[in-house]
Amino acid sequence: MKVLVIGTGAREHAIVRSLTLDPSVDAVIAAPGNPGIDAIALCRELPQGLLDGEGIAALAAELKVDLVVVGPEAPLVAGAADAVRERGIACFGPTAKAARLEGSKAFAKEIMAEAGVPTALAHVCTTVDEVASALEVFGAPYVVKDDGLAAGKGVVVTSNRAHALAHAVQCLERRDSTIVVEEFLDGPEISLFCITDGTTVVPLAPAQDFKRLSDNDEGPNTGGMGAYSPLDWAPASLVQDVVDRVAQPTVDEMRHQGMPFAGVLYIGLALTSRGLRVIEFNARFGDPETQVVLARLATPLGGLLYAAAVGKLDVEAPLRWRPDHAVTVVVASKGYPNSPRTGEIIEGMSQVGDEAYVLHAGTALDKHGSLVSAGGRVLSVVATGADLTQARDRAYRAVDRIGLKGSTYRTDIALAAQRGEITVPQ
Ligand code: AMP
Ligand code: GLY
């Protein structure tokens, strides 16, 4: 099988890595990819960019691939999967219509309401006055979200009412936007990826992401600064509960409404004192959670994604997992997320050794052929171990060997879990 992977990040690097380890996959091409992906697969350009669904479909046809895997949300929301399927090529990723589960928070709330999925109570607002009264209704801490895609940066959670209102004003001014104000959810957050062909749901292992920039969950929200899996502290019934109460009803509702969702339904949820509540849906794999989930998946990835793309998940054998724990630490540029500084030389990559591996995100080769930073999140360092302590030690030893001027990373990825400090409120 020949597979084309769309995207540029560490998530795509992780997907490409797993595909190259699948015996049924004999060629992997990435577009546009990055220098790390280029070392293990072929990279092709996308001259018109990631939003050019026709360009993606044309490349897939030219390369005669059997499967296209779309990594990021933007091409999905722009209809890349529709364009690929129109050419008769199998595509892992939902149609533009179905990707609205991620593309519009208000739409996701409607589907959840119709499917009876537990989520935070929310008010959808289009004026500052509506936002102000919604803030009154829910009280502090306030949760204010931009309706559309914002790369994880459209959400403000704060106890400062003025700050909450200012975020809403800013979103409303920036474009003709809708604001979602919702109740605050207490309790630990998890990410669960459910592979689906539109009917059958196959959950992967849950992971935990670290969204804030700095240790102790301080600083601004980011795309994600690290992750680990599995979650030993979570209730044993968690995955089945999420499939039964969230994933299957949502997939069924989408199909009944004539917009079947095939691809990966990423469920972000909080385990609150009142039970599980969905925080968000995404229509693609999460970054950096994918890096740790795929580090543990023993079932070949290509066959699984192909089965989802062609509606054959019901005949897939149960997934197999390695018993290891996996941790990933993201190394980010100085100034991330607001104004990341790029073009800095990345050193020490060859000193990492074989205890860990480094997935590329925002990297590039400069005109001398040196590896330099080219984005906010630059690298995702992944390690596995017999327990979280070993996986963390290996990951952080590797991080320490990498030199990137001004870079930052969190030092507490998976630390609370390692110490047994995570509890689910009763
Ligand atoms: P989202 O883009 O909806 O995933 O939100 C980004 C982050 O904001 C989430 O991962 C949570 O950490 C936080 N967040 C979002 N909604 C809520 C909520 N209702 N209560 C508490 N935290 C939230
Ligand atoms: N890790 C969060 C995301 O991919 O949206």
Side-chain angles (χ1 to χ4, degrees):
M1 170 162 65
K2 195 170 180 185
V3 189
L4 172 63
V5 177
I6 303 301
T8 62
R11 162 184 56 205
E12 287 75 21
H13 193 171
I15 292 170
V16 168
R17 180 180 181 274
S18 291
L19 289 173
T20 61
L21 298 173
D22 179 340
S24 78
V25 174
D26 29 49
V28 185
I29 304 105
N34 64 39
I37 295 175
D38 196 44
I40 56 170
L42 192 68
C43 288
R44 285 287 299 263
E45 288 189 5
L46 277 177
Q48 307 300 318
L50 283 168
L51 297 185
D52 177 25
E54 278 309 321
I56 291 169
L59 180 62
E62 180 207 319
L63 294 167
K64 297 195 170 60
V65 298
D66 303 290
L67 174 68
V68 177
V69 178
V70 182
E73 60 275 21
L76 291 168
V77 173
D82 309 69
V84 170
R85 285 196 193 95
E86 269 163 31
R87 300 217 182 205
I89 300 170
C91 187
F92 182 81
T95 61
K97 267 190 184 163
R100 287 186 70 219
L101 270 188
E102 168 162 9
S104 165
K105 291 183 191 292
F107 174 74
K109 285 286 183 193
E110 277 168 34
I111 294 291
M112 284 190 260
E114 281 151 11
V117 168
T119 183
L121 294 174
H123 286 191
V124 177
C125 309
T126 52
T127 66
V128 176
D129 285 349
E130 284 171 9
V131 172
S133 54
L135 295 177
E136 282 323 306
V137 171
F138 293 125
Y142 305 104
V143 182
V144 177
K145 303 185 174 187
D146 194 341
D147 181 57
L149 291 183
K153 294 154 206 158
V155 177
V156 160
V157 181
T158 175
S159 293
N160 181 328
R161 190 176 172 283
H163 186 181
L165 206 56
H167 179 63
V169 169
Q170 204 185 30
C171 296
L172 287 169
E173 277 171 358
R174 196 169 54 229
R175 47 185 165 147
D176 198 15
S177 177
T178 302
I179 304 294
V180 177
V181 178
E182 59 180 46
E183 69 175 319
F184 177 79
L185 301 174
D186 61 341
E189 280 178 47
I190 70 153
S191 305
L192 183 70
F193 304 152
C194 291
I195 308 289
T196 176
D197 56 11
T199 304
T200 302
V201 171
V202 176
L204 301 184
Q208 195 169 39
D209 176 23
F210 292 73
K211 288 231 161 73
R212 300 284 184 148
L213 180 67
S214 311
D215 283 2
N216 303 315
D217 291 328
E218 284 167 11
N221 264 325
T222 69
M225 294 298 291
Y228 68 94
S229 182
L231 311 178
D232 283 350
W233 51 266
S237 61
L238 176 74
V239 170
Q240 197 55 48
D241 266 2
V242 178
V243 170
D244 293 346
R245 298 181 57 205
V246 180
Q248 194 68 58
T250 301
V251 165
D252 291 346
E253 183 65 33
M254 293 293 284
R255 194 178 60 251
H256 294 149
Q257 292 204 16
M259 42 187 160
F261 184 99
V264 52
L265 179 63
Y266 163 147
I267 303 169
L269 48 107
L271 304 184
T272 77
S273 44
R274 288 170 298 143
L276 65 87
R277 295 283 185 278
V278 173
I279 292 182
E280 63 167 344
F281 283 145
N282 292 318
R284 37 93 195 160
F285 283 110
D287 186 347
E289 298 98 311
T290 299
Q291 288 87 303
V292 287
V293 172
L294 295 188
R296 299 186 55 248
L297 181 66
T299 298
L301 184 66
L304 176 65
L305 301 188
Y306 187 79
V310 298
K312 297 267 170 59
L313 268 184
D314 56 331
V315 294
E316 274 288 291
L319 298 183
R320 289 176 292 111
W321 296 92
R322 299 194 177 86
D324 308 351
H325 291 248
V327 171
T328 190
V329 179
V330 170
V331 178
S333 296
K334 182 185 173 79
Y336 177 71
N338 295 324
S339 48
R341 195 169 71 193
T342 58
E344 292 290 350
I345 300 269
I346 303 168
E347 293 174 313
M349 297 285 275
S350 58
Q351 264 97 66
V352 164
D354 48 16
E355 274 189 349
Y357 52 92
V358 183
L359 300 172
H360 290 220
T363 69
L365 296 178
D366 70 5
K367 60 177 190 285
H368 309 293
S370 303
L371 190 68
V372 295
S373 57
R377 291 189 292 177
V378 181
L379 302 169
S380 205
V381 178
V382 186
T384 56
D387 54 24
L388 276 182
T389 306
Q390 189 176 44
R392 269 175 53 79
D393 286 350
R394 289 174 171 172
Y396 280 109
R397 259 201 302 274
V399 168
D400 284 342
R401 292 188 178 140
I402 293 169
L404 172 63
K405 204 167 126 200
S407 63
T408 56
Y409 61 87
R410 280 184 63 157
T411 67
D412 64 347
I413 304 301
L415 184 59
Q418 179 200 325
R419 291 180 173 160
E421 288 170 358
I422 303 185
T423 51
V424 179
Q426 293 304 315

